[in-house]
Amino acid sequence: FFLSWYSGLLVRHARRVLGAAAEVLNKPGRPRMLRAVRECENGHVVYEFAPVVQLGAKLAGVHWWFKSRAHAAELTAGYYNTRDRDGYAPIIQVIAEFNGCLSFTCVEMRDCEHPPEGRCSPQGLLQQVLQCAERYGVPLAGENALQRYDEHAFDRIAESAFGRTARAGRLEQLTFLRMGDLMFDNWDAFCAFLQRMRGNRSDVEQQQQLLLLLLLLLLLLVLVLLLLLLL
């Protein structure tokens, strides 16, 4: 009873927040984009529109004790997930109701990188979330939890995105964390990783685009600082 009530609070909170955001985005006069075109049997054409901004939610990657029977870490976080119960399905169902997307973390992690006493399984957890999102038709975006630039992490991210051991094209988007000194210290490795993920750009073109993006971000930061000083 307690676990159902406790996890239900998280599900109801997600529905309230997504509902409030959807209400704002669906107000008359808000920008819309064409989502689909359907032709009816009588020859009429139906155009379906959706908000320009797609709603999304992020789930925490609580992968420690995932291999245990109780899944105590997930239960504590509000995910009623056990060997006999999919604790992520109720949340993903709510996201599907609002045509949202799901963001999940730890796409660069492997089970073997964690101490055995922790019974961690980031790979098992990610696979469960992938299957559940696919079942309810929710697009899944991924991101790395740790800032790593080694080939093992890059291989795992590519496997999570393209599915060398499962279905291909499993991740709709990928966010790489995070921009800072460590990224610039490993710039060549990061550019090679982007080249690998895209597969159709030259190294020079890739680096030029990245430098242009960084310059734009720095310019935006300067403008924000100037506005703060003026205020």
Side-chain angles (χ1 to χ4, degrees), residues 80-97:
Y80 190 2
N81 191 52
T82 64
R83 290 183 179 179
D84 304 319
R85 188 181 190 278
D86 189 343
Y88 300 96
I91 302 175
I92 294 177
Q93 280 181 295
V94 172
I95 298 173
E97 292 175 12

Side-chain angles (χ1 to χ4, degrees), residues 1-16 78-80 85 87 90-91 94:
F1 169 79
F2 173 78
L3 291 176
S4 297
W5 169 80
Y6 186 52
S7 61
L9 292 177
L10 184 62
V11 175
R12 290 193 291 273
H13 174 69
R15 180 172 280 109
R16 285 196 301 269
Y79 303 123
Y80 190 2
R85 188 181 190 278
I91 302 175
V94 172

